[in-house]
Amino acid sequence: MSTLNIAVLAGDGIGPEITEQAVAVLERLSEQGQFALNLEHAAVGGAGYRAKGHPLPEGTLALAKASQAILFGSVGDFSLDHLSRELRPEQAILGLRKALGLFANLRPAVVFPELGHASTLKPEIVSGMDILIVRELTGDIYFGQPRGIRRLENGDREGFDTMVYNETEIRRIGRVAFEAAAKRSRRLCSVDKANVLETTQLWRDVMTELAADYPNIELSHMYVDNAAMQLLKNPKQFDVMVTGNMFGDILSDEASMLTGSIGMLASASLDSNNKGLYEPIHGSAPDIAGQDKANPLATILSAAMMLRYSFGLEASAQAIEQAVSKVLAQGYATADIQRPGAQLVGTKAMGQAVVAALG
Ligand code: IPM
Ligand code: MG
């Protein structure tokens, strides 16, 4: 039986509560004999800053590098917003993505049958929606140099960032997206702003060149402003979407809300060897932290993605996904997905319900 070496970086706010439940789910599968677990915990984000003076302490980074996969909760702590940017909690996740080369971010946005009502859109627009957003994660304006705030000769301050992609970066995320599309309905929509930005003209050119290697995939292109609109108008037209770091950040939050709750959405951030960091796409939700109110399902579903992508344990991944479907069908709901007739439960009880559904 294989031993899974996993770093657990719970982080801030609701991070510790939700990762605890994902760990309980992994432990249940381990008890069932599906794999052995070696879990190591370390502080990250605001918690890292408080414990070691840095959002991504050296020991945490070393652990992340040594592990096969990382289960990540969330980072963010308003009380540390006064710190200089490199010490703020968000730098932990950006630093991990960059240091580990986690360039491929998979963000599925799926509407569970029980939650169609929870969307702000009409149920008939969203029911059955199943989109995979493939977001490039280590380039673009997030990391481009130079950047800064400078003083002009006339005394004005000027802020600037650099949007930049080279073709190697575009091609490797393109391949991930084409291959993901090959396993789904074979439709890929590449999102750019090629009518205005040179960087994304190159993006479009490279995606078009790549399409020659994937004759069975239907590639389309869409400008990001139109994509934002089409996601609200007719989200089911999309299957796999591929886009850069910043557009992907924005579109994935938009797509998540179509599903009813951002508390349901998992993500995987992968390097070229399928080593990965797995995290819910929501943030640290300080307003409900420590109150047993947060929805742990996004983190539990992230653990399923981990078993699938980093460990090749497809059956175990599906067991978790089916258990989540079952607890929704049984009518359990945390506050964010509360609905008429559902039974309101807290973080722990929701996690326990998934554990129970695993049998
Ligand atoms: C996300 C988050 C991060 C991002 C923040 C926390 C730096 O919004 O994972 O989408 O912008 O990538
Ligand atoms: Mg975001």
Side-chain angles (χ1 to χ4, degrees), residues 97-124:
R97 290 170 182 171
K98 196 66 177 174
L100 301 180
L102 306 172
F103 69 93
N105 186 208
L106 310 183
R107 296 192 160 184
V110 179
V111 175
F112 286 84
E114 292 79 14
L115 302 186
H117 72 282
S119 172
T120 45
L121 293 194
K122 298 188 186 93
E124 64 269 26

Side-chain angles (χ1 to χ4, degrees), residues 31-156:
E31 283 162 21
Q32 291 177 343
Q34 305 201 15
F35 44 75
L37 275 178
N38 175 26
L39 303 177
E40 297 207 40
H41 298 255
V44 77
Y49 177 78
R50 288 176 207 283
K52 310 264 170 176
H54 195 277
L56 184 52
E58 259 172 50
T60 303
L61 180 58
L63 173 68
K65 283 187 173 161
S67 308
Q68 293 166 288
I70 299 147
L71 182 66
F72 193 92
S74 53
V75 290
D77 182 340
F78 294 129
S79 68
L80 298 177
D81 277 356
H82 62 280
L83 295 173
S84 61
R85 184 172 300 281
E86 70 279 6
L87 291 178
R88 285 193 210 154
E90 290 75 12
Q91 292 305 310
I93 186 66
L94 296 172
L96 279 166
R97 290 170 182 171
K98 196 66 177 174
L100 301 180
L102 306 172
F103 69 93
N105 186 208
L106 310 183
R107 296 192 160 184
V110 179
V111 175
F112 286 84
E114 292 79 14
L115 302 186
H117 72 282
S119 172
T120 45
L121 293 194
K122 298 188 186 93
E124 64 269 26
I125 303 285
V126 294
S127 71
M129 181 187 112
D130 181 354
I131 299 174
L132 176 64
I133 296 185
V134 179
R135 170 189 177 196
E136 200 290 328
L137 207 55
T138 53
D140 202 354
I141 197 164
Y142 268 55
F143 294 97
Q145 294 291 340
R147 57 182 285 160
I149 298 174
R150 62 190 160 207
R151 184 73 68 174
L152 298 178
E153 274 172 18
N154 69 5
D156 264 8

